[in-house]
Amino acid sequence: MARHLSDDELAAYFALRGAGDRLQRVVAQQLRAHDLTEVQFAILAQLGSGTDGIGMSELARGLVVTKSGLTYQAGQLESRGLVARRPSTDDDRGVLLHLTPDGRALLARVLPAHITLVRELFIDRIDPADLAIVRDALAQVARD
Amino acid sequence: MARHLSDDELAAYFALRGAGDRLQRVVAQQLRAHDLTEVQFAILAQLGSGTDGIGMSELARGLVVTKSGLTYQAGQLESRGLVARRPSTDDDRGVLLHLTPDGRALLARVLPAHITLVRELFIDRIDPADLAIVRDALAQVARD
DNA sequence: TCGCACTCGTTCGAATTGGAACGATACCAG
DNA sequence: CTGGTATCGTTCCAATTCGAACGAGTGCGA
């Protein structure tokens, strides 16, 4: 087993962390203008894109949050009327999270700016021919 | 300005977030076995690689932490004897953080496993020919 | 049917985080 | 020198985070 990382490998590793961190920072800052946390935005986005109503555990797995963290944030969003909890019909333990109309409206207001930001910071900085390579490579890393 | 992201672009974005998040999760889990936080490990690693003694603000800029967060973690590490604070000679406001022998020893114990993990999860999953492309692309994203 | 292991979402407490102060020092233009 | 402004690291507080434990419900094999 290799005992160290070459300069190139190290640089790639740092670039990955750097890119992720930077994106995270800038996005968080932008969302703060809408009184949204990254996690909260991620929840809304998940609920917005996809079938209506997602279980808490499934949601927590998709995002980078523990179940308890999600419970907390779901409570925050619920108290702001952006999200609603509804008991699951096919599993008495389950709770499904839904977007309220207000939540959907807020998401619609925030999403365009978010997309623009992703474009500026990420997509537009990469040669289109390389984007597919980057996508596939990173997808391999994300894969279990 | 484009109003949306194409499927490919979206996939690339998700891949980036997914890769970063996954790496972060797994690394955090590994470090927990050594009673270290990601942030704490990052501090030790920074102090270990480079000139001895780094100022708090400079350190905070390099890592993804606010100054106050760094003050807290420096305190934690200091109370465990892994790190030492020393006043800067050329700036009376400054404090330089140093690795203690214990800190250096712990770093030496943890680093190999960390490197192995980075290899397994990141480097080895990417075609060597693509690694340079990924590195350069992500470096552009990280760039200010 | 019973038991047993697993998953559900929540609660609790402790740890960590960021942001806005703050006192102290450095730096710079005038 | 003198003022104003920026930076240093710290402190404080509120918000958020995680992990462990929990009661409740599910599902499966014996």
Side-chain angles (χ1 to χ4, degrees):
Chain A
M1 164 201 328
R3 305 241 6 259
H4 70 295
L5 299 172
S6 73
D7 285 351
D8 274 0
E9 292 165 346
L10 200 58
Y13 179 47
F14 283 168
L16 173 60
R17 300 310 301 260
D21 289 343
R22 176 163 158 72
L23 218 43
Q24 189 166 340
R25 255 201 322 276
V26 178
V27 166
Q29 181 188 0
Q30 186 192 50
L31 290 175
R32 201 141 46 83
H34 298 274
D35 282 305
L36 279 180
T37 299
E38 264 202 296
V39 177
Q40 293 172 344
F41 173 69
I43 294 173
L44 295 183
Q46 280 285 321
L47 293 180
S49 78
T51 47
D52 196 49
I54 307 185
M56 302 288 281
S57 287
E58 181 184 351
L59 203 46
R61 262 180 256 112
L63 312 176
V64 193
V65 191
T66 55
K67 287 183 302 173
S68 78
L70 181 55
T71 294
Y72 174 75
Q73 289 295 1
Q76 296 298 107
L77 292 172
E78 191 177 29
S79 70
R80 287 172 59 183
L82 302 173
V83 141
R85 278 181 166 95
R86 287 178 41 198
S88 168
T89 54
D90 48 323
D91 188 336
D92 280 351
R93 302 165 299 179
V95 174
L96 298 187
L97 221 52
H98 295 261
L99 272 185
T100 64
D102 276 5
R104 197 172 296 279
L106 176 59
L107 183 59
R109 240 183 353 264
V110 175
L111 208 45
H114 177 70
I115 291 175
T116 299
L117 200 56
V118 170
R119 233 176 219 309
E120 277 178 22
L121 254 59
F122 181 48
I123 305 295
D124 287 351
R125 292 181 178 224
I126 300 181
D127 187 312
D130 292 341
L131 192 60
I133 295 177
V134 172
R135 160 171 55 79
D136 292 343
L138 294 182
Q140 282 304 312
V141 177
R143 226 200 64 221
D144 262 329
Chain B
M1 165 199 327
R3 305 237 11 253
H4 70 293
L5 298 172
S6 74
D7 285 351
D8 273 1
E9 291 165 345
L10 200 59
Y13 179 48
F14 283 168
L16 173 60
R17 300 309 302 259
D21 289 344
R22 176 162 157 73
L23 217 43
Q24 188 166 343
R25 254 202 323 274
V26 178
V27 166
Q29 181 187 1
Q30 186 192 50
L31 290 174
R32 200 141 45 83
H34 299 273
D35 282 304
L36 278 179
T37 298
E38 264 203 296
V39 176
Q40 294 171 345
F41 173 69
I43 294 173
L44 296 182
Q46 280 286 320
L47 294 179
S49 79
T51 47
D52 196 48
I54 306 185
M56 303 287 280
S57 286
E58 182 184 351
L59 203 47
R61 261 180 257 112
L63 312 175
V64 193
V65 193
T66 55
K67 288 183 300 174
S68 78
L70 181 55
T71 294
Y72 173 76
Q73 290 295 0
Q76 296 298 108
L77 292 172
E78 193 177 27
S79 70
R80 287 171 60 182
L82 302 173
V83 140
R85 278 181 166 96
R86 287 176 44 197
S88 167
T89 53
D90 47 322
D91 187 336
D92 280 351
R93 301 166 297 181
V95 174
L96 298 186
L97 221 53
H98 296 262
L99 272 185
T100 64
D102 276 6
R104 196 173 297 279
L106 176 59
L107 183 59
R109 242 186 346 269
V110 176
L111 206 45
H114 177 70
I115 290 175
T116 299
L117 199 56
V118 170
R119 235 178 216 308
E120 277 178 21
L121 254 59
F122 181 49
I123 304 294
D124 288 351
R125 293 181 178 222
I126 300 181
D127 187 312
D130 292 340
L131 191 60
I133 294 177
V134 172
R135 160 170 55 78
D136 292 342
L138 294 182
Q140 283 304 314
V141 178
R143 227 199 64 220
D144 262 330

